[in-house]
Amino acid sequence: MYSRAPLELGDFLKECRARISPRTVGLPESKSPRRVAGLRREEVARLAGISTGCYTRLEQGRAAVSGSVLATLVRVLHLDDDERDRLFELAARDERAPRRRPVQKVHPRFRRLLDELSTTPALVLGRRMDVLAWNALAAALLTDFGRIPRKKRNYARLVFTDPRLRETCPDWSTIARSCVAQLRLEAAKSPDDPGLTALVGELSVADADFRQWWAGRHAAGLCMGTKRLRHPVVGDLTLGWSTLTCAGDPSQHLVMWTAEPGSPSDDGLRFLASWSAGPQDPAEGATP
């Protein structure tokens, strides 16, 4: 839908980006003097994952704007609730902000599968790669998901923001790129999902690699592969991973890691399973 007040929308966007320094959003400071206060158009566009031309046309009132782009700009420009409502109003949206999707819970069949996989690390990913459930061995292998606040319990967020997880992954960039590819698939399916838009905005600000890969060309997602880990307890592991999609809810995926039988990695997983055996916190959560 086109803006009914293009000049006012453009003035509002210029005012918002003028008050934000590059350092605030994680951009490196330039040695050359800046001709404009705050963020340049191309910097806002890069953080929002859109082309500079598209953002320029938006400021000039010559482009249609989707709810997902508006929600991303809310994040990038650090708008408060009143400013967010003003942005949507100026963009001639009927609603003040995208509606939140229902809370997602792990499917009972996947829950039962997790309970059976005592010697195989496994977890369930939902929309946006949110971690919906996991077993004890997955927590011992990767991280204690139960200690992460429910709203922050997202696999892609962990990959890009948890330094401990990054240290345990010698091929971190391959794993991280796979996360970006999966989020792109999610965005194609649900372009107006405010939760996904907020996550992309957060990671774009937090990590330079994410910004670059998100703005790059589309990459296909994977359903299986090999993962190398340097675990603090059992040492180096080489594991194959695969995913199963839930027939009852295709947005949920069971991810499992296995080792070649009789290999040192297999021995490591078995030791880790015995080391982590014992009472566990409830291994599931719901995410909005």
Side-chain angles (χ1 to χ4, degrees):
M1 185 177 294
Y2 288 91
S3 168
R4 292 195 294 263
L7 294 179
E8 192 174 356
L9 174 61
D11 291 340
F12 178 77
L13 289 171
K14 291 175 185 176
E15 178 184 331
C16 290
R17 66 180 171 89
R19 70 189 183 195
I20 300 177
S21 70
R23 181 179 299 177
T24 301
V25 294
L27 295 177
E29 294 283 358
S30 174
K31 295 181 180 180
S32 58
R34 300 176 67 88
R35 296 181 179 179
V36 297
L39 297 177
R40 301 186 181 100
R41 283 176 173 172
E42 58 267 28
E43 291 169 335
V44 175
R46 186 162 67 250
L47 291 171
I50 60 178
S51 69
T52 301
C54 178
Y55 179 77
T56 299
R57 291 191 296 272
L58 176 59
E59 277 200 359
Q60 294 173 346
R62 298 188 293 110
V65 55
S66 68
S68 61
V69 170
L70 290 175
T72 299
L73 290 174
V74 170
R75 183 84 181 186
V76 169
L77 297 174
H78 294 232
L79 304 186
D80 60 27
D81 290 345
D82 290 338
E83 291 168 333
R84 178 201 61 192
D85 288 348
R86 181 61 174 159
L87 174 65
F88 276 86
E89 179 182 353
L90 292 175
R93 298 288 296 183
D94 291 333
E95 64 273 19
R96 287 294 181 264
R99 296 180 180 179
R100 290 191 174 273
R101 304 178 75 177
V103 170
Q104 187 176 30
K105 295 183 178 181
V106 62
H107 195 280
R109 293 184 181 180
F110 271 0
R111 176 70 271 171
R112 291 195 295 270
L113 271 175
L114 282 177
D115 292 339
E116 294 294 328
L117 296 172
S118 59
T119 59
T120 300
L123 54 80
V124 177
L125 300 181
R127 297 187 299 261
R128 321 172 199 117
M129 302 189 78
D130 290 335
V131 180
L132 301 183
W134 60 94
N135 61 11
L137 192 49
L141 180 68
L142 299 174
T143 189
D144 186 355
F145 297 103
R147 294 186 180 276
I148 301 172
R150 176 177 57 82
K151 292 184 178 181
K152 296 292 184 181
R153 202 179 291 153
N154 178 276
Y155 189 75
R157 179 184 284 111
L158 287 171
V159 168
F160 280 97
T161 64
D162 188 335
R164 292 173 300 178
L165 186 59
R166 186 178 297 213
E167 290 175 1
T168 64
C169 299
D171 51 356
W172 176 87
S173 64
T174 300
I175 297 170
R177 284 178 178 271
S178 179
C179 287
V180 173
Q182 182 60 36
L183 290 179
R184 283 192 174 279
L185 293 176
E186 295 278 344
K189 295 176 185 176
S190 306
D192 292 319
D193 179 4
L196 178 58
T197 299
L199 175 64
V200 170
E202 174 189 342
L203 297 182
S204 295
V205 170
D207 190 271
D209 287 325
F210 184 91
R211 286 197 301 273
Q212 178 183 350
W213 296 334
W214 184 259
R217 294 184 177 181
H218 173 77
L222 300 174
C223 60
M224 63 178 61
T226 301
K227 184 185 187 77
R228 294 187 299 128
L229 292 173
R230 187 168 294 121
H231 196 274
V233 175
V234 296
D236 291 345
L237 298 171
T238 300
L239 307 174
W241 63 270
S242 56
T243 61
L244 295 176
T245 300
C246 181
D249 181 357
S251 69
Q252 296 192 30
H253 308 278
L254 178 69
V255 185
M256 299 171 290
W257 290 269
T258 58
E260 186 71 24
S263 66
S265 294
D266 185 41
D267 294 337
L269 273 188
R270 293 181 182 276
F271 177 82
L272 193 60
S274 62
W275 177 80
S276 63
Q280 299 290 325
D281 293 332
E284 65 180 273
T287 50

